[in-house]
Amino acid sequence: MRSPSAHPPPGTAGVAASGEDGFVTAEWMVGMALLVVPTLLVVALLPGWASRHEAAAVAAREGARAAATAVDVATARTAAEQAVVAVLDGRGIPPGEATVTVHLPPGTSLPRDGEVRVRVVLPTSPVTLPGGGTVEGPSVMGDHIRVLDPHRGR
């Protein structure tokens, strides 16, 4: 047989023993603000960042390919920059946004055993935060190294 104290008093079922009631709405709002909204923000931005990263990688690859087919350093630098501009124009990205760095072997002619390296850095669009502020987006980079053909003519 149970003692009378084992049963809660009538009308108190489901109430915490300490007398505190929970407030689910506030906890739910905080959970949404701290977990769900930032996750949705990042998921919404990823496709734009990925497309810019892919554009930078393709531009760097095509710039290095164009530079590797040139016979001298001046022509290689010009060919690389023109190839990068052509790729970015084709993707609807203003070439003025890109930072293009072309690394070539020293000297005036390209050696047969050298390599060329092209790096393209693109900024991404600023991130607008739910509170109303904006944060600078990350930069994405494409980098490509092309070994010069040792059997090519000069």
Side-chain angles (χ1 to χ4, degrees):
M1 182 168 165
R2 294 185 177 176
S3 67
S5 63
H7 297 291
T12 61
V15 176
S18 64
E20 296 180 15
D21 292 335
F23 197 65
V24 176
T25 305
E27 293 167 0
W28 185 81
M29 292 299 289
V30 169
M32 289 295 285
L34 294 178
L35 298 174
V36 176
V37 172
T39 302
L40 289 175
L41 183 65
V42 169
V43 168
L45 292 172
L46 283 178
W49 292 348
S51 68
R52 284 204 157 224
H53 182 268
E54 194 260 344
V58 170
R61 183 185 69 227
E62 292 302 312
R65 184 197 56 76
T69 60
V71 292
D72 62 2
V73 171
T75 308
R77 186 173 307 281
T78 303
E81 291 170 353
Q82 288 175 348
V84 168
V85 167
V87 169
L88 295 179
D89 269 343
R91 303 210 177 214
I93 299 172
E97 289 184 6
T99 303
V100 180
T101 308
V102 181
H103 296 281
L104 298 167
T108 57
S109 65
L110 292 176
R112 291 186 176 180
D113 59 348
E115 65 182 28
V116 294
R117 178 180 186 171
V118 178
R119 176 176 287 166
V120 179
V121 180
L122 287 172
T124 58
S125 58
V127 178
T128 303
L129 300 175
T134 57
V135 176
E136 184 85 16
S139 293
V140 293
M141 179 183 69
D143 196 12
H144 193 80
I145 297 174
R146 184 91 174 220
V147 177
L148 298 174
D149 183 8
H151 303 294
R152 69 187 177 104
R154 289 187 183 243

